[in-house]
Amino acid sequence: MPARVDYRRNPEELLRLVQADERRERRGRLKIFLGYASRVGKSVRMFAEGRRRKLRGQDVVVAAVQPGVTPEVQSILSALEAIPTLTEKYGGQEYQVIDMAALFRRHPGVCVIDGLAYFNPPGSRNPERWQDVEELLERGVSVITAVNVQHIREKQDEVERITGKRACDSVPQAFLLEAEEIEVVDASPDALIGRSDGITPGSRQLAELRELALLLAADVVDRQLQDYLDSHGITASWGTQERILVCLTPRSNAAAMLKSGLRNKLRFHGALLVAYVEQKGLGPGDQEKLNRHLEAAREMGAEMHCLRGDDFVRAILDFAREQRVTQLFLGHTSRPPAVRLRRGPIDRLIDAAEDFDLRIFPHAEDK
Amino acid sequence: MTPEAAPPRRGRLKIYLGYAAGVGKTYRMLEEAQALKGEGVDLVVGYFEPHGRQETIAKIEGLEIIPRRALTYAGSQFQEMDTEAILRRKPAVALVDEFAHTNVPGSERVKRWQDVKALQEAGIDVITTMNVQHLESLNDQVWHVTGVRVRETIPDWVVDEADEVVFVDLTPRALRNRLERGVVYGPDKAKRAMENFFVESNLTALREMALRHTAHEVEEKLSASPVALEAAGLLEKGQASGAQAGQTIRKDRILICLTGSPSSAMLIRRGKRVADYLQADCLAIHVARNGASVEDVERHMSFARNLRIETHILEGDGIARCITDFARREGITQIFMGRSRSQPWWKQFRETVVQQVVRCAHDIQITIVADRRRPA
């Protein structure tokens, strides 16, 4: 077995998974409705779920409602018990804060909380509302909540690029990964534009936000799927997301391979990995070439992996499987071998590549 | 005197896309229909599959339904959508459930999506439903993940041409709850479903595919507009893509090399999928040799044409030479090939076709497509 330098998950991540499992036993369950703009219908879906659960005998209360409740939401709310938010003043502004003390006394089974990204005024129990939710979960209360992609911290730069605006309140993306369930609320942008809101973004911006929300949800779902496959010892690639591995060697046409890898990553919204196999006895010229390639890959911001092993092909194959790669990019020389006694690395990879496509790039100097 | 009738505006198509039965596609469609009807839109239900689901059936109340047409085939009665009756009725909007459905033999059109096209041609807007696993390009992947070979498929371009694709979500956990409560199927079928197709891992994988596909459709529509202008001659050629990316990228041209082997279907789907995502041209060729089964090749060729791939049959002795010459002539940037079958040891000193092409095709990238098999 070749020694592997890289692992899919580092030990901290694995520990996090184990601890998450243990905590999950006593913890409340979190369900998040994810939307891409206001008025896509998140609140209706969320409160309707609260009402459904109540009808099924669960102990449901509503702990936060956003201003501007539609008649449809109002009719659902009238069927649910409410613990209203407290209005707190700070610096001349009013804040709606979840009444945590009342919730602790009441200790419901399920709590419905709209506006996950709100922040609390200074001096509150928690600076941000998602931390209030976290505390409820820790105490065994299940939470149903809703958030828009504009409020996911890691997506805010992109949202600002699209809309030119940045929401000041946000939720870390890691909190979405904590959720047992995340449900996307999708709708036609056309249906939103017609609604009188006054501040709705244009149709192109809405489409971009929509794509962002769908891809965010896909990444969360992909994480759930990988966790499932890992925990069930399934090593096969299911190919739900394209994962491209560019293998660099000294003589490969790294510029073309990296450029193509990046284009594929962007078009498929997949992952791009770059790997090289540490080889003994590399001449100084080749070593220098390889270093230049690696520098170019680093500049592109690619995820770099150094593989070790006596057998070049084996090392690549093992890594590709471990990473559930769907496309492997490799360079080749078109100079014919003098004698075809041994099968070359490309031949061996072609034979072994069952789970992934193998894309062969001509070497730069062969042109 | 009536003025000469202008050809009707083509009807719009909206698809509610889900990832499994029971996620609520039909329900969402009917919800929208009720809202439209409330606004006074002239709307009919062209085809509706209630599956005995009470919540869904309740949503149809008050909507005008065009009765189905009864057809007899092989001694059995079938109910199909009465496309001609909808055309005669000519509403503004028609609801058509189950976009991927195949009509019973003897129907006017083979596939329901063709019926929908006929409605659109007549200027009728259509709202329909489908699951992601019916997309042709995902057929092998769905089989790989779930073990199910979906037979009713829709070419991707049909879905790409829709004006809107909206994702209907429900978490796998919630869907399995619905199955358990008997909302989706009867008790026996529900139990079998939960142990087979509806296991959580399958549902999670299909859901991810549906999310990514919807995102892809949104992105295509975003990038389609300048390209559409180019096609209409309103922009200089190349200007649209250059303006978008900030630079001109050489357009990829993908060539798929077909044989009579059954795995060529997989090759076609994969090559076309990559071409679609890279916004590349896609061509397919077969190099004819004596003794090859023409029938199998022709089947693959016609499959490729259905997916809107340009096909050619070449003749020549050296297969690899033929392929590379054609590729050069056509400015191909990527050649897609299947793996050559493994050779007996005494032939291993001879080069396979793949090896020859790799050697001959200097400046062209070559992709050897994975021979995905169902894990044991």
Side-chain angles (χ1 to χ4, degrees), chain B residues 262-302:
Chain B
S263 64
S264 278
M266 211 179 273
L267 185 62
I268 293 166
R269 289 189 199 104
R270 181 65 179 166
K272 180 64 174 145
R273 183 170 166 81
V274 172
D276 283 350
Y277 270 79
L278 297 183
Q279 294 171 322
D281 298 326
C282 192
L283 294 79
I285 52 165
H286 171 71
V287 183
R289 265 184 311 176
N290 296 335
S293 163
V294 179
E295 205 179 296
D296 287 341
V297 171
E298 198 31 63
R299 205 160 34 81
H300 286 141
M301 286 294 203
S302 115

Side-chain angles (χ1 to χ4, degrees), chain A residues 81-151:
Chain A
E81 178 187 338
I83 295 185
T85 46
L86 303 170
T87 305
E88 286 184 17
K89 290 200 176 93
Y90 183 86
Q93 271 197 305
E94 286 193 349
Y95 293 84
Q96 298 301 315
V97 180
I98 290 176
D99 191 347
M100 295 292 276
L103 277 173
F104 292 152
R105 282 195 302 275
R106 170 67 177 74
H107 205 280
V110 182
C111 191
V112 189
I113 296 174
D114 206 354
L116 178 64
Y118 276 52
F119 53 59
N120 297 329
S124 303
R125 184 183 181 92
N126 293 304
E128 295 175 282
R129 188 175 279 178
W130 68 267
Q131 293 164 319
D132 291 339
V133 169
E134 176 68 31
E135 216 182 321
L136 289 167
L137 293 167
E138 285 296 336
R139 294 189 182 219
V141 178
S142 290
V143 175
I144 311 174
T145 185
V147 69
N148 275 330
V149 71
Q150 288 90 315
H151 296 287

Side-chain angles (χ1 to χ4, degrees), chain B residues 307-337:
Chain B
L307 302 186
R308 295 202 168 161
I309 298 171
E310 177 187 326
T311 63
H312 299 267
I313 296 216
L314 308 179
E315 277 181 47
D317 292 330
I319 300 178
R321 197 28 72 204
C322 269
I323 293 172
T324 46
D325 285 351
F326 179 87
R328 287 242 169 71
R329 222 167 38 236
E330 288 287 334
I332 295 298
T333 58
Q334 261 197 70
I335 301 176
F336 270 65
M337 305 184 75

Side-chain angles (χ1 to χ4, degrees), chain A residues 85-290:
Chain A
T85 46
L86 303 170
T87 305
E88 286 184 17
K89 290 200 176 93
Y90 183 86
Q93 271 197 305
E94 286 193 349
Y95 293 84
Q96 298 301 315
V97 180
I98 290 176
D99 191 347
M100 295 292 276
L103 277 173
F104 292 152
R105 282 195 302 275
R106 170 67 177 74
H107 205 280
V110 182
C111 191
V112 189
I113 296 174
D114 206 354
L116 178 64
Y118 276 52
F119 53 59
N120 297 329
S124 303
R125 184 183 181 92
N126 293 304
E128 295 175 282
R129 188 175 279 178
W130 68 267
Q131 293 164 319
D132 291 339
V133 169
E134 176 68 31
E135 216 182 321
L136 289 167
L137 293 167
E138 285 296 336
R139 294 189 182 219
V141 178
S142 290
V143 175
I144 311 174
T145 185
V147 69
N148 275 330
V149 71
Q150 288 90 315
H151 296 287
I152 305 303
R153 202 159 290 166
E154 286 78 358
K155 298 291 172 196
Q156 286 194 303
D157 286 343
E158 213 168 335
V159 170
E160 195 174 356
R161 183 189 59 73
I162 296 169
T163 63
K165 289 183 212 125
R166 193 184 189 94
C168 41
D169 39 6
S170 65
V171 178
Q173 193 169 322
F175 192 66
L176 295 193
L177 295 171
E178 294 272 314
E180 276 78 14
E181 288 180 89
I182 174 165
E183 188 170 312
V184 177
V185 184
D186 192 25
S188 324
D190 292 356
L192 303 178
I193 291 164
R195 298 191 193 179
S196 56
D197 187 60
I199 48 152
T200 338
S203 64
R204 189 178 175 89
Q205 293 172 340
L206 279 174
E208 287 187 47
L209 291 174
R210 191 176 161 214
E211 188 187 3
L212 195 62
L214 288 163
L215 289 171
L216 170 61
D219 287 343
V220 172
V221 172
D222 190 67
R223 181 65 175 266
Q224 292 169 346
L225 183 64
Q226 301 310 330
D227 284 348
Y228 175 90
L229 295 179
D230 285 347
S231 65
H232 287 72
I234 299 169
T235 54
S237 155
W238 280 19
T240 44
Q241 184 191 22
E242 289 293 331
R243 297 177 62 83
I244 299 135
L245 173 61
V246 175
C247 280
L248 294 177
T249 52
R251 291 176 196 200
S252 53
N253 184 355
M257 291 166 73
L258 290 170
K259 191 174 152 206
S260 178
L262 187 62
R263 181 161 162 74
N264 275 270
K265 169 201 156 97
L266 292 174
R267 292 297 306 161
F268 281 102
H269 296 285
L272 175 64
L273 299 93
V274 175
Y276 63 100
V277 182
E278 221 177 52
Q279 291 178 84
K280 291 184 199 105
L282 215 54
D286 278 348
Q287 187 61 55
E288 198 197 311
K289 275 185 194 161
L290 182 62

